[in-house]
Amino acid sequence: MKHITCIEDLRLEHKRNVPKAFFDYVDHGSYSEDTFRANCEDLQKLKFRQRILVDIANRDTSTTILGEKATMPLICAPVGSTGLQYGDGEIHSCRAAQAAGIPYTLSTMSINSIEDVAENVEKPFWFQLYVMKDRGFIKELIERAIKAKCSALVLTVDLQVIGQRHADIKNGLSVPPQILNVKNLIDFMSKPGWLVRTLKAKRRNFGNIAGFVKNTDDLGSVAQWTASQFDASLNWKDLDWIRSIWPGKIVIKGIHDIEDAREAVKVGAQAMVVSNHGGRQLDGAPSSISVLPGIADAVGSEIEVMFDSGIRSGQDVMRALALGAKSCMIGRAYIYGLGAYGGPGVTKALDILRNELSVTMGLCGVNSIAEIDRHVLVS
């Protein structure tokens, strides 16, 4: 991996190694993808103040996230179907994140189940929850996360209805799915490494749903059940019910408005994630970085504010921290590494981001995460 210098290099390797349908699932947004593009473009518009002759010999990227020590202000975000990017992808990703000293978040829609991951890693991880119509299923899912000693529950609240992703429909990742068409099968066969790893993996379907859907080996049945389960009636009152089951820390992911941020404080969440689902939901919404300062100013003293959507470099991490985030979630950035090289690829992605953050801190005359504020940016 000596030729890999940035996240974009990992993205190109991922694209070469993984079938188009699964690469596109990660790499695209919803509808016209205006918000997807704006997430990255608006981050790039933020420029740094270069500072000189400051003692930067003892730079330190470490911080705390939800009261726990972390080597850098990063969290691996929940990403559905990670195990279809690389066999047992959730296990490989969690191991790499924990070795790097940062939290990993397992998606409800993971391929490896909660139990699969818990049995194969050494430390607690976070679990992301979609609240579905079948509350019995959700209650049992939360109880499974408790039994697995998950250390935080990440409640994703911006997917009550699913934004249309044109690339997924064209590639057969629709409901019902049409993934096993001639074009895709030829593409699968052209990626023998991916095919062998996928066939040898513990699972090839959604591990957390096994047992709740008849014919879980039938991708169509699982997809139809899942699509029918997203609950458009979900509201703030449901947080009381979740809190009655879950005893630990709650992170609300998908906050994009100051009024919603204030509600998240009222319900007693320990943290919120400013996120537009990486541009995969409401197309035409502003970029996450453009709404972050207002939200951080409004509630940052009352709740831990995290940031998500558009992070592709350590410089982007510093930009988000400068505008009020305490830490950042990354999704595509580490999945590109996973698809490219498996667990070592995730490690490479995290190393790249850490090194870029450290260098940027140094060139801006900053030695610690606590020192990063709006003064590091050109006003």
Side-chain angles (χ1 to χ4, degrees):
M1 284 188 274
K2 291 182 179 180
H3 65 292
I4 300 295
T5 61
C6 59
I7 298 299
E8 177 62 16
D9 288 345
L10 290 172
R11 176 184 172 275
L12 295 176
E13 286 296 320
H14 180 193
K15 187 175 183 179
R16 280 189 279 268
N17 291 347
V18 174
K20 184 177 186 297
F22 301 124
F23 173 78
D24 284 355
Y25 170 78
V26 170
D27 199 52
H28 284 271
S30 63
Y31 297 99
S32 66
E33 300 190 335
D34 284 346
T35 298
F36 165 73
R37 289 188 294 271
N39 281 335
C40 294
E41 292 170 357
D42 287 356
L43 276 162
Q44 300 308 306
K45 291 175 184 177
L46 297 170
K47 304 303 179 184
F48 296 111
R49 292 177 64 199
Q50 179 176 309
R51 305 301 304 277
I52 60 170
L53 297 179
V54 177
D55 182 353
I56 52 170
N58 297 304
R59 297 187 311 284
D60 183 5
T61 63
S62 66
T63 187
T64 58
I65 301 175
L66 283 184
E68 300 289 334
K69 292 181 179 179
T71 59
M72 53 183 160
L74 277 184
I75 304 146
C76 284
V79 178
S81 304
T82 295
L84 294 180
Q85 305 297 330
Y86 194 97
D88 292 328
E90 289 87 1
I91 294 172
H92 290 296
S93 297
C94 188
R95 284 173 173 168
Q98 292 186 349
I102 65 170
Y104 171 81
T105 317
L106 181 70
S107 171
T108 291
M109 304 309 299
S110 58
I111 301 302
N112 291 130
S113 69
I114 298 171
E115 294 79 11
D116 291 338
V117 178
E119 290 168 3
N120 286 277
V121 300
E122 297 180 355
K123 302 175 184 176
F125 52 91
W126 295 6
F127 181 67
Q128 175 268 337
L129 181 71
Y130 287 123
V131 180
M132 298 180 176
K133 293 176 182 177
D134 187 336
R135 291 296 200 264
F137 167 64
I138 295 304
K139 182 175 184 291
E140 185 165 326
L141 202 55
I142 295 172
E143 290 170 345
R144 289 166 62 188
I146 294 170
K147 186 176 180 180
K149 296 181 171 56
C150 292
S151 53
L153 188 70
V154 179
L155 179 63
T156 297
V157 294
D158 59 359
L159 204 87
Q160 289 170 270
V161 293
I162 302 175
Q164 180 169 300
R165 298 150 196 174
H166 297 334
D168 289 350
I169 294 173
K170 291 173 182 176
N171 289 327
L173 294 180
S174 54
V175 179
Q178 298 174 356
I179 191 71
L180 298 179
N181 56 47
V182 173
K183 182 179 179 181
N184 283 338
L185 289 173
I186 292 172
D187 191 20
F188 293 173
M189 297 302 293
S190 73
K191 308 289 192 299
W194 172 87
L195 188 60
V196 169
R197 288 189 295 270
T198 302
L199 292 174
K200 287 184 176 180
K202 292 178 180 293
R203 300 180 191 271
R204 288 169 291 283
N205 214 323
F206 300 113
N208 291 324
I209 297 175
F212 283 87
V213 184
K214 294 180 179 179
N215 302 319
T216 51
D217 290 334
D218 179 359
L219 188 60
S221 296
V222 174
Q224 288 178 320
W225 181 86
T226 303
S228 71
Q229 282 293 312
F230 286 103
D231 190 355
S233 71
L234 182 68
N235 60 76
W236 289 106
K237 293 180 181 178
D238 290 305
L239 270 291
D240 292 334
W241 176 75
I242 292 169
R243 176 65 81 187
S244 72
I245 307 167
W246 175 259
K249 300 170 184 175
I250 290 181
V251 180
I252 299 180
K253 182 176 182 287
I255 300 294
H256 221 245
D257 183 272
I258 291 174
E259 289 186 26
D260 290 335
R262 291 187 173 124
E263 287 296 323
V265 173
K266 289 180 183 178
V267 299
Q270 280 68 46
M272 67 173 65
V273 187
V274 176
S275 171
N276 56 33
H277 216 97
R280 293 166 63 80
Q281 281 296 95
L282 178 59
D283 194 36
S287 65
S288 286
I289 197 65
S290 68
V291 302
L292 172 63
I295 292 173
D297 287 347
V299 301
S301 63
E302 302 173 81
I303 192 171
E304 193 163 329
V305 176
M306 301 170 179
F307 177 81
D308 170 77
S309 301
I311 298 290
R312 301 291 187 275
S313 68
Q315 288 91 344
D316 290 340
V317 173
M318 186 145 162
R319 290 173 172 117
L321 298 180
L323 293 186
K326 298 302 180 186
S327 59
C328 297
M329 279 191 167
I330 54 168
R332 292 179 176 94
Y334 84 85
I335 293 293
Y336 291 146
L338 178 72
Y341 299 107
V346 178
T347 298
K348 183 67 174 180
L350 299 179
D351 285 345
I352 287 170
L353 294 171
R354 181 192 292 109
N355 291 335
E356 288 174 342
L357 174 60
S358 178
V359 169
T360 307
M361 288 169 61
L363 295 176
C364 291
V366 171
N367 280 293
S368 70
I369 297 301
E371 293 176 48
I372 300 173
D373 59 21
R374 295 179 196 183
H375 292 98
V376 305
L377 300 176
V378 175
S379 57

